[in-house]
Amino acid sequence: PARPSRVRQEEPKSQGSSTSRFSVDFDIIRELGQGSFGKVYQVLSRLDGCMYAIKAGHRPAKGASDRDRMLKEVGVAFLP
């Protein structure tokens, strides 16, 4: 199957590294939405060739409890 064309957009930055895990493992296909929390991207995994939606927050976690709260939002959804 043909791969969709890639749209280069602003990539989420990780702290302490010039190359983020996001930019290494995924190609951004398009932006699905945005809000005060950050942006949601439709991405193509370079590892398994599957499509995913990834939520990229504007800020890093401020401690363990904040990180745990952020991780509770993680889920898996099918993108047709």
Side-chain angles (χ1 to χ4, degrees), residues 16-67:
S17 173
S18 60
T19 304
S20 71
R21 173 85 186 258
F22 181 91
S23 63
V24 170
D25 291 350
F26 300 98
D27 290 319
I28 296 174
I29 304 303
R30 66 187 178 112
E31 184 179 313
L32 297 174
Q34 63 180 333
S36 60
F37 61 84
K39 295 182 180 182
V40 177
Y41 297 100
Q42 179 182 2
V43 298
L44 179 64
S45 170
R46 293 179 182 164
L47 301 174
D48 62 13
C50 293
M51 290 282 193
Y52 296 93
I54 293 185
K55 182 177 179 180
H58 288 307
R59 65 171 183 81
K62 297 178 184 175
S65 62
D66 192 35
R67 180 179 178 274

Short mmCIF file of all heavy atoms in Angstrom, two decimals, residues 16-67:
data_model
loop_
_atom_site.label_atom_id
_atom_site.label_comp_id
_atom_site.label_asym_id
_atom_site.label_seq_id
_atom_site.Cartn_x
_atom_site.Cartn_y
_atom_site.Cartn_z
N GLY A 16 16.08 18.61 27.28
CA GLY A 16 17.36 17.96 27.50
C GLY A 16 17.89 17.20 26.30
O GLY A 16 18.90 16.53 26.41
N SER A 17 17.24 17.28 25.16
CA SER A 17 17.69 16.55 23.99
C SER A 17 17.35 17.34 22.74
O SER A 17 16.28 17.90 22.62
CB SER A 17 17.01 15.18 23.94
OG SER A 17 17.31 14.54 22.72
N SER A 18 18.29 17.37 21.79
CA SER A 18 18.02 18.08 20.55
C SER A 18 17.16 17.23 19.61
O SER A 18 16.51 17.75 18.72
CB SER A 18 19.32 18.49 19.88
OG SER A 18 20.09 17.35 19.58
N THR A 19 17.16 15.91 19.79
CA THR A 19 16.35 15.01 18.98
C THR A 19 15.36 14.30 19.90
O THR A 19 15.75 13.58 20.80
CB THR A 19 17.23 13.96 18.27
OG1 THR A 19 18.21 14.63 17.50
CG2 THR A 19 16.39 13.08 17.38
N SER A 20 14.08 14.53 19.66
CA SER A 20 13.07 13.91 20.52
C SER A 20 12.74 12.50 20.05
O SER A 20 12.94 12.15 18.88
CB SER A 20 11.79 14.75 20.53
OG SER A 20 11.13 14.65 19.28
N ARG A 21 12.24 11.71 20.94
CA ARG A 21 11.79 10.36 20.62
C ARG A 21 10.66 10.44 19.60
O ARG A 21 10.56 9.62 18.68
CB ARG A 21 11.32 9.68 21.91
CG ARG A 21 10.68 8.34 21.75
CD ARG A 21 11.73 7.24 21.69
NE ARG A 21 11.14 5.97 21.40
CZ ARG A 21 10.90 5.03 22.29
NH1 ARG A 21 11.20 5.22 23.55
NH2 ARG A 21 10.36 3.89 21.93
N PHE A 22 9.82 11.46 19.74
CA PHE A 22 8.71 11.68 18.81
C PHE A 22 9.23 11.82 17.38
O PHE A 22 8.74 11.16 16.47
CB PHE A 22 7.95 12.94 19.25
CG PHE A 22 6.77 13.26 18.39
CD1 PHE A 22 5.52 12.76 18.70
CD2 PHE A 22 6.88 14.08 17.28
CE1 PHE A 22 4.41 13.06 17.92
CE2 PHE A 22 5.79 14.38 16.50
CZ PHE A 22 4.56 13.87 16.82
N SER A 23 10.22 12.67 17.18
CA SER A 23 10.72 12.92 15.82
C SER A 23 11.49 11.74 15.24
O SER A 23 11.57 11.58 14.04
CB SER A 23 11.57 14.19 15.78
OG SER A 23 12.71 14.05 16.58
N VAL A 24 12.05 10.90 16.12
CA VAL A 24 12.78 9.72 15.65
C VAL A 24 11.83 8.60 15.26
O VAL A 24 12.02 7.93 14.24
CB VAL A 24 13.76 9.22 16.75
CG1 VAL A 24 14.35 7.87 16.42
CG2 VAL A 24 14.86 10.25 16.98
N ASP A 25 10.77 8.39 16.05
CA ASP A 25 9.89 7.23 15.85
C ASP A 25 8.67 7.47 14.97
O ASP A 25 8.04 6.52 14.54
CB ASP A 25 9.40 6.71 17.21
CG ASP A 25 10.51 6.08 18.03
OD1 ASP A 25 11.62 5.86 17.49
OD2 ASP A 25 10.29 5.80 19.21
N PHE A 26 8.32 8.75 14.72
CA PHE A 26 7.07 9.03 14.00
C PHE A 26 7.24 10.09 12.92
O PHE A 26 8.07 10.98 13.05
CB PHE A 26 5.99 9.52 14.98
CG PHE A 26 5.67 8.53 16.05
CD1 PHE A 26 6.23 8.63 17.31
CD2 PHE A 26 4.80 7.48 15.81
CE1 PHE A 26 5.93 7.72 18.31
CE2 PHE A 26 4.50 6.55 16.80
CZ PHE A 26 5.07 6.67 18.05
N ASP A 27 6.43 9.97 11.88
CA ASP A 27 6.28 11.01 10.85
C ASP A 27 4.91 11.62 11.04
O ASP A 27 3.90 10.91 11.10
CB ASP A 27 6.36 10.41 9.44
CG ASP A 27 7.76 9.93 9.10
OD1 ASP A 27 8.73 10.63 9.45
OD2 ASP A 27 7.87 8.85 8.49
N ILE A 28 4.85 12.94 11.13
CA ILE A 28 3.56 13.63 11.27
C ILE A 28 2.85 13.62 9.93
O ILE A 28 3.40 14.01 8.91
CB ILE A 28 3.76 15.09 11.74
CG1 ILE A 28 4.37 15.11 13.13
CG2 ILE A 28 2.43 15.84 11.73
CD1 ILE A 28 4.73 16.50 13.61
N ILE A 29 1.61 13.15 9.94
CA ILE A 29 0.77 13.16 8.75
C ILE A 29 -0.05 14.45 8.71
O ILE A 29 -0.08 15.16 7.72
CB ILE A 29 -0.17 11.94 8.71
CG1 ILE A 29 0.64 10.63 8.80
CG2 ILE A 29 -1.06 11.97 7.48
CD1 ILE A 29 1.69 10.46 7.73
N ARG A 30 -0.71 14.76 9.86
CA ARG A 30 -1.47 16.01 9.95
C ARG A 30 -1.80 16.30 11.41
O ARG A 30 -1.73 15.42 12.26
CB ARG A 30 -2.75 15.95 9.13
CG ARG A 30 -3.76 14.94 9.63
CD ARG A 30 -4.93 14.82 8.67
NE ARG A 30 -5.87 13.82 9.12
CZ ARG A 30 -7.10 14.08 9.55
NH1 ARG A 30 -7.56 15.32 9.56
NH2 ARG A 30 -7.88 13.11 9.93
N GLU A 31 -2.16 17.54 11.65
CA GLU A 31 -2.61 17.93 12.98
C GLU A 31 -4.10 17.65 13.06
O GLU A 31 -4.87 18.04 12.19
CB GLU A 31 -2.33 19.41 13.20
CG GLU A 31 -2.67 19.88 14.60
CD GLU A 31 -2.36 21.35 14.82
OE1 GLU A 31 -1.25 21.79 14.45
OE2 GLU A 31 -3.24 22.05 15.34
N LEU A 32 -4.53 16.96 14.12
CA LEU A 32 -5.95 16.62 14.29
C LEU A 32 -6.69 17.66 15.12
O LEU A 32 -7.89 17.84 14.97
CB LEU A 32 -6.09 15.24 14.95
CG LEU A 32 -5.55 14.06 14.16
CD1 LEU A 32 -5.62 12.79 14.99
CD2 LEU A 32 -6.32 13.90 12.86
N GLY A 33 -5.99 18.32 16.03
CA GLY A 33 -6.63 19.31 16.88
C GLY A 33 -5.62 19.95 17.81
O GLY A 33 -4.48 19.53 17.90
N GLN A 34 -6.09 21.00 18.49
CA GLN A 34 -5.23 21.67 19.46
C GLN A 34 -6.08 22.35 20.51
O GLN A 34 -7.27 22.55 20.32
CB GLN A 34 -4.32 22.68 18.77
CG GLN A 34 -5.04 23.82 18.08
CD GLN A 34 -4.06 24.78 17.43
OE1 GLN A 34 -2.92 24.90 17.87
NE2 GLN A 34 -4.49 25.44 16.38
N GLY A 35 -5.45 22.65 21.61
CA GLY A 35 -6.13 23.32 22.70
C GLY A 35 -5.10 23.85 23.67
O GLY A 35 -3.91 23.87 23.38
N SER A 36 -5.55 24.23 24.84
CA SER A 36 -4.63 24.79 25.83
C SER A 36 -3.65 23.74 26.33
O SER A 36 -2.56 24.06 26.79
CB SER A 36 -5.40 25.39 26.99
OG SER A 36 -6.18 24.39 27.61
N PHE A 37 -4.01 22.46 26.23
CA PHE A 37 -3.16 21.36 26.69
C PHE A 37 -2.00 21.11 25.74
O PHE A 37 -0.95 20.66 26.14
CB PHE A 37 -3.98 20.07 26.80
CG PHE A 37 -4.58 19.66 25.48
CD1 PHE A 37 -3.84 18.93 24.56
CD2 PHE A 37 -5.88 20.01 25.14
CE1 PHE A 37 -4.38 18.57 23.33
CE2 PHE A 37 -6.44 19.65 23.93
CZ PHE A 37 -5.68 18.93 23.02
N GLY A 38 -2.19 21.34 24.46
CA GLY A 38 -1.18 21.02 23.45
C GLY A 38 -1.84 20.71 22.12
O GLY A 38 -2.91 21.24 21.81
N LYS A 39 -1.23 19.83 21.35
CA LYS A 39 -1.74 19.47 20.03
C LYS A 39 -1.86 17.95 19.92
O LYS A 39 -1.16 17.20 20.58
CB LYS A 39 -0.79 19.97 18.93
CG LYS A 39 -0.71 21.48 18.87
CD LYS A 39 0.20 21.92 17.75
CE LYS A 39 0.25 23.44 17.71
NZ LYS A 39 1.08 23.92 16.59
N VAL A 40 -2.78 17.52 19.03
CA VAL A 40 -2.94 16.10 18.74
C VAL A 40 -2.59 15.91 17.26
O VAL A 40 -3.09 16.64 16.40
CB VAL A 40 -4.39 15.61 19.01
CG1 VAL A 40 -4.53 14.15 18.63
CG2 VAL A 40 -4.75 15.83 20.47
N TYR A 41 -1.71 14.96 17.01
CA TYR A 41 -1.24 14.69 15.65
C TYR A 41 -1.65 13.29 15.20
O TYR A 41 -1.66 12.36 16.00
CB TYR A 41 0.29 14.75 15.61
CG TYR A 41 0.88 16.08 15.95
CD1 TYR A 41 1.39 16.32 17.22
CD2 TYR A 41 0.95 17.10 15.01
CE1 TYR A 41 1.95 17.54 17.54
CE2 TYR A 41 1.51 18.32 15.32
CZ TYR A 41 2.01 18.53 16.59
OH TYR A 41 2.57 19.75 16.91
N GLN A 42 -1.94 13.16 13.91
CA GLN A 42 -2.03 11.84 13.29
C GLN A 42 -0.62 11.56 12.79
O GLN A 42 -0.03 12.38 12.09
CB GLN A 42 -3.01 11.83 12.12
CG GLN A 42 -3.08 10.48 11.44
CD GLN A 42 -4.03 10.47 10.25
OE1 GLN A 42 -4.61 11.49 9.89
NE2 GLN A 42 -4.17 9.33 9.64
N VAL A 43 -0.06 10.43 13.20
CA VAL A 43 1.32 10.11 12.86
C VAL A 43 1.42 8.71 12.29
O VAL A 43 0.56 7.86 12.52
CB VAL A 43 2.24 10.24 14.10
CG1 VAL A 43 2.27 11.66 14.63
CG2 VAL A 43 1.85 9.26 15.19
N LEU A 44 2.50 8.49 11.57
CA LEU A 44 2.82 7.17 11.04
C LEU A 44 4.07 6.69 11.76
O LEU A 44 5.10 7.38 11.78
CB LEU A 44 3.08 7.25 9.53
CG LEU A 44 3.45 5.95 8.83
CD1 LEU A 44 2.29 4.96 8.89
CD2 LEU A 44 3.84 6.21 7.39
N SER A 45 3.98 5.53 12.38
CA SER A 45 5.11 4.97 13.12
C SER A 45 6.16 4.46 12.15
O SER A 45 5.86 3.71 11.23
CB SER A 45 4.64 3.82 14.01
OG SER A 45 5.76 3.14 14.56
N ARG A 46 7.39 4.86 12.38
CA ARG A 46 8.51 4.33 11.59
C ARG A 46 8.88 2.93 12.04
O ARG A 46 9.59 2.21 11.33
CB ARG A 46 9.72 5.25 11.73
CG ARG A 46 9.51 6.60 11.10
CD ARG A 46 10.72 7.48 11.29
NE ARG A 46 10.46 8.79 10.70
CZ ARG A 46 11.18 9.85 10.95
NH1 ARG A 46 12.21 9.78 11.78
NH2 ARG A 46 10.88 11.00 10.40
N LEU A 47 8.41 2.53 13.22
CA LEU A 47 8.75 1.22 13.77
C LEU A 47 7.86 0.11 13.24
O LEU A 47 8.34 -0.97 12.90
CB LEU A 47 8.67 1.26 15.30
CG LEU A 47 9.58 2.29 15.97
CD1 LEU A 47 9.31 2.34 17.46
CD2 LEU A 47 11.03 1.96 15.69
N ASP A 48 6.53 0.35 13.20
CA ASP A 48 5.62 -0.72 12.77
C ASP A 48 4.73 -0.35 11.58
O ASP A 48 3.94 -1.16 11.14
CB ASP A 48 4.76 -1.20 13.94
CG ASP A 48 3.86 -0.12 14.51
OD1 ASP A 48 3.69 0.94 13.88
OD2 ASP A 48 3.32 -0.34 15.61
N GLY A 49 4.85 0.88 11.07
CA GLY A 49 4.07 1.28 9.90
C GLY A 49 2.61 1.57 10.18
O GLY A 49 1.84 1.78 9.26
N CYS A 50 2.21 1.57 11.45
CA CYS A 50 0.82 1.82 11.82
C CYS A 50 0.57 3.30 12.07
O CYS A 50 1.48 4.05 12.42
CB CYS A 50 0.45 1.04 13.08
SG CYS A 50 0.43 -0.74 12.82
N MET A 51 -0.69 3.70 11.90
CA MET A 51 -1.11 5.07 12.19
C MET A 51 -1.53 5.19 13.64
O MET A 51 -2.16 4.28 14.19
CB MET A 51 -2.32 5.47 11.33
CG MET A 51 -2.01 5.64 9.89
SD MET A 51 -1.21 7.21 9.61
CE MET A 51 -1.35 7.27 7.86
N TYR A 52 -1.18 6.31 14.27
CA TYR A 52 -1.55 6.59 15.64
C TYR A 52 -1.95 8.05 15.78
O TYR A 52 -1.62 8.87 14.92
CB TYR A 52 -0.36 6.33 16.59
CG TYR A 52 0.10 4.91 16.65
CD1 TYR A 52 1.12 4.45 15.83
CD2 TYR A 52 -0.51 4.01 17.52
CE1 TYR A 52 1.54 3.12 15.89
CE2 TYR A 52 -0.09 2.68 17.58
CZ TYR A 52 0.93 2.26 16.76
OH TYR A 52 1.34 0.95 16.82
N ALA A 53 -2.64 8.36 16.84
CA ALA A 53 -2.88 9.74 17.24
C ALA A 53 -2.06 9.97 18.49
O ALA A 53 -2.11 9.18 19.43
CB ALA A 53 -4.36 9.98 17.53
N ILE A 54 -1.27 11.03 18.48
CA ILE A 54 -0.40 11.33 19.61
C ILE A 54 -0.70 12.73 20.12
O ILE A 54 -0.73 13.69 19.36
CB ILE A 54 1.08 11.21 19.24
CG1 ILE A 54 1.41 9.76 18.93
CG2 ILE A 54 1.98 11.76 20.35
CD1 ILE A 54 2.86 9.49 18.67
N LYS A 55 -0.91 12.81 21.43
CA LYS A 55 -1.15 14.09 22.09
C LYS A 55 0.18 14.61 22.60
O LYS A 55 0.86 13.93 23.38
CB LYS A 55 -2.13 13.89 23.25
CG LYS A 55 -2.50 15.14 23.98
CD LYS A 55 -3.51 14.77 25.05
CE LYS A 55 -3.94 15.92 25.89
NZ LYS A 55 -4.93 15.51 26.91
N ALA A 56 0.57 15.78 22.15
CA ALA A 56 1.83 16.38 22.57
C ALA A 56 1.53 17.60 23.42
O ALA A 56 0.97 18.59 22.94
CB ALA A 56 2.65 16.78 21.35
N GLY A 57 1.87 17.52 24.70
CA GLY A 57 1.60 18.61 25.63
C GLY A 57 2.56 19.77 25.46
O GLY A 57 3.66 19.61 24.93
N HIS A 58 2.13 20.94 25.92
CA HIS A 58 2.95 22.14 25.83
C HIS A 58 4.03 22.19 26.91
O HIS A 58 4.97 22.92 26.79
CB HIS A 58 2.09 23.40 25.98
CG HIS A 58 1.24 23.70 24.79
ND1 HIS A 58 1.73 23.79 23.51
CD2 HIS A 58 -0.08 23.95 24.68
CE1 HIS A 58 0.76 24.08 22.68
NE2 HIS A 58 -0.36 24.17 23.37
N ARG A 59 3.86 21.43 27.98
CA ARG A 59 4.79 21.55 29.10
C ARG A 59 5.15 20.17 29.65
O ARG A 59 4.38 19.23 29.54
CB ARG A 59 4.18 22.40 30.21
CG ARG A 59 2.96 21.76 30.84
CD ARG A 59 2.50 22.52 32.08
NE ARG A 59 1.38 21.86 32.71
CZ ARG A 59 1.47 20.81 33.52
NH1 ARG A 59 2.62 20.29 33.81
NH2 ARG A 59 0.38 20.28 34.05
N PRO A 60 6.33 20.08 30.24
CA PRO A 60 6.70 18.81 30.88
C PRO A 60 5.97 18.65 32.21
O PRO A 60 5.45 19.62 32.76
CB PRO A 60 8.21 18.96 31.11
CG PRO A 60 8.43 20.44 31.17
CD PRO A 60 7.40 21.05 30.27
N ALA A 61 5.93 17.44 32.71
CA ALA A 61 5.29 17.17 34.00
C ALA A 61 6.06 17.86 35.12
O ALA A 61 7.28 17.98 35.07
CB ALA A 61 5.25 15.67 34.26
N LYS A 62 5.32 18.31 36.13
CA LYS A 62 5.93 19.01 37.27
C LYS A 62 5.98 18.08 38.48
O LYS A 62 5.44 18.40 39.54
CB LYS A 62 5.11 20.25 37.63
CG LYS A 62 5.06 21.28 36.54
CD LYS A 62 4.19 22.46 36.95
CE LYS A 62 4.07 23.46 35.84
NZ LYS A 62 3.15 24.54 36.17
N GLY A 63 6.59 16.94 38.32
CA GLY A 63 6.69 15.99 39.43
C GLY A 63 5.95 14.70 39.13
O GLY A 63 5.26 14.56 38.12
N ALA A 64 6.08 13.76 40.06
CA ALA A 64 5.52 12.42 39.87
C ALA A 64 4.00 12.41 39.79
O ALA A 64 3.41 11.73 38.94
CB ALA A 64 5.99 11.50 40.98
N SER A 65 3.32 13.17 40.67
CA SER A 65 1.86 13.14 40.65
C SER A 65 1.31 13.80 39.38
O SER A 65 0.32 13.33 38.82
CB SER A 65 1.28 13.82 41.90
OG SER A 65 1.64 15.19 41.94
N ASP A 66 1.95 14.85 38.90
CA ASP A 66 1.53 15.50 37.66
C ASP A 66 1.76 14.55 36.48
O ASP A 66 0.91 14.42 35.60
CB ASP A 66 2.30 16.80 37.47
CG ASP A 66 1.71 17.68 36.38
OD1 ASP A 66 0.47 17.70 36.22
OD2 ASP A 66 2.49 18.36 35.69
N ARG A 67 2.88 13.85 36.49
CA ARG A 67 3.18 12.88 35.44
C ARG A 67 2.15 11.75 35.44
O ARG A 67 1.65 11.35 34.39
CB ARG A 67 4.57 12.30 35.64
CG ARG A 67 4.97 11.29 34.59
CD ARG A 67 6.39 10.78 34.86
NE ARG A 67 6.76 9.79 33.90
CZ ARG A 67 6.49 8.48 34.00
NH1 ARG A 67 5.81 8.03 35.04
NH2 ARG A 67 6.87 7.64 33.08
#
